[in-house]
Amino acid sequence: MGFLGKLFGTSSTKEETKMENVKLAVIYYSSSGTNYQMAQWAAEGAKEAGAEVKVLKVPETAPQAAIDSNPAWKAHVEATKSVPEVTLNDLEWADAIVFSIPTRFGNVPGQVKQFLDTTGGLWFNGKLANKVVSAMTSAQNPHGGQEQTILSLYTTMHHWGAIIASPGYTDPVIFGSGGNPYGTSVTVDQDGNMIEDVQATVKHQAKRTVTVAEWVKKGNQ
């Protein structure tokens, strides 16, 4: 199959098969645990919606000295050693992806950008087109760049040819947790505690992502 065929997902043959459950990768980066917790809630919501789920962390690229200098960061790294790191194979495996990442100056963390920059080969071969994607984030104040961080991530998703499943205002729980239509966002205080109660919103967003992925999966059969 040529480049355009791979990119647009066209094929000369289609097999009639029973649709498998949606495969969802919940990919997170977290230095102190907030986005890891959101990833866990997303996984719970997706499983409730019938998806097969993998929770995967973005590889850490910060120097060990920097990690050791922050007790909360060091403790979180130690506590999540058993969580597998995301690979390109995981992206190819997934029908849908939920990202949970903190904001860094209104943009994605360098660790996340480093990983995204390795996906060129998958993109070239059309392996990322039509993935259903949604994103969540956190910051230390309500106007710390949450919306811009999600939109920055979605810019890369547009280049992938992914289908963005933003939550919009599709459920009342979204208003109760801050009302971010681009993706769930939460404010974190100086002690690392979440200010808003976002658990229900995260689960709704994950379920919505799985539902949209089911529609796409059925349409491609």
Side-chain angles (χ1 to χ4, degrees):
M1 187 185 297
F3 168 69
L4 291 179
K6 293 174 181 175
L7 182 60
F8 294 113
T10 58
S11 176
S12 58
T13 62
K14 283 191 176 181
E15 295 182 359
E16 293 293 330
T17 58
K18 183 179 179 181
M19 193 182 80
E20 298 177 347
N21 291 352
V22 166
K23 297 173 182 176
L24 175 73
V26 181
I27 300 172
Y28 79 92
Y29 175 75
S30 190
S31 56
S32 60
T34 300
N35 289 94
Y36 173 65
Q37 179 61 75
M38 293 171 74
Q40 294 294 320
W41 288 333
E44 291 172 11
K47 288 175 183 177
E48 290 171 7
E52 179 181 350
V53 181
K54 291 182 181 181
V55 176
L56 306 157
K57 64 186 177 187
V58 173
E60 182 60 81
T61 60
Q64 189 62 44
I67 297 171
D68 292 342
S69 69
N70 185 321
W73 192 358
K74 182 179 180 180
H76 178 68
V77 169
E78 290 293 324
T80 56
K81 275 187 173 180
S82 63
V83 179
E85 292 184 344
V86 64
T87 68
L88 296 179
N89 288 336
D90 294 314
L91 294 184
E92 189 169 356
W93 167 86
D95 300 307
I97 303 166
V98 171
F99 288 94
S100 180
I101 61 174
T103 182
R104 292 290 185 269
F105 301 109
N107 213 321
V108 301
Q111 291 86 346
V112 177
K113 184 64 165 63
Q114 176 86 9
F115 175 69
L116 293 177
D117 283 348
T118 70
T119 63
L122 289 179
W123 166 82
F124 181 80
N125 287 289
K127 301 294 187 179
L128 299 175
N130 300 324
K131 302 288 185 183
V132 176
V133 176
S134 202
M136 309 178 294
T137 192
S138 63
Q140 287 193 336
N141 56 74
H143 301 289
Q146 290 105 319
E147 293 180 0
Q148 186 58 42
T149 294
I150 292 173
L151 293 174
S152 295
L153 178 69
Y154 286 166
T155 297
T156 298
M157 301 301 103
H158 287 304
H159 283 261
W160 281 10
I163 297 168
I164 295 172
S166 54
Y169 298 109
T170 53
D171 192 281
V173 296
I174 294 167
F175 293 98
S177 61
N180 189 338
Y182 306 103
T184 306
S185 61
V186 68
T187 311
V188 183
D189 67 20
Q190 294 296 323
D191 296 319
N193 302 309
M194 297 188 203
I195 303 301
E196 300 87 6
D197 182 2
V198 298
Q199 183 174 359
T201 305
V202 169
K203 286 189 173 184
H204 169 71
Q205 184 173 346
K207 290 176 181 179
R208 174 171 164 77
T209 304
V210 171
T211 298
V212 174
E214 286 174 344
W215 296 339
V216 174
K217 200 174 178 75
K218 286 177 182 177
N220 282 335
Q221 282 193 328

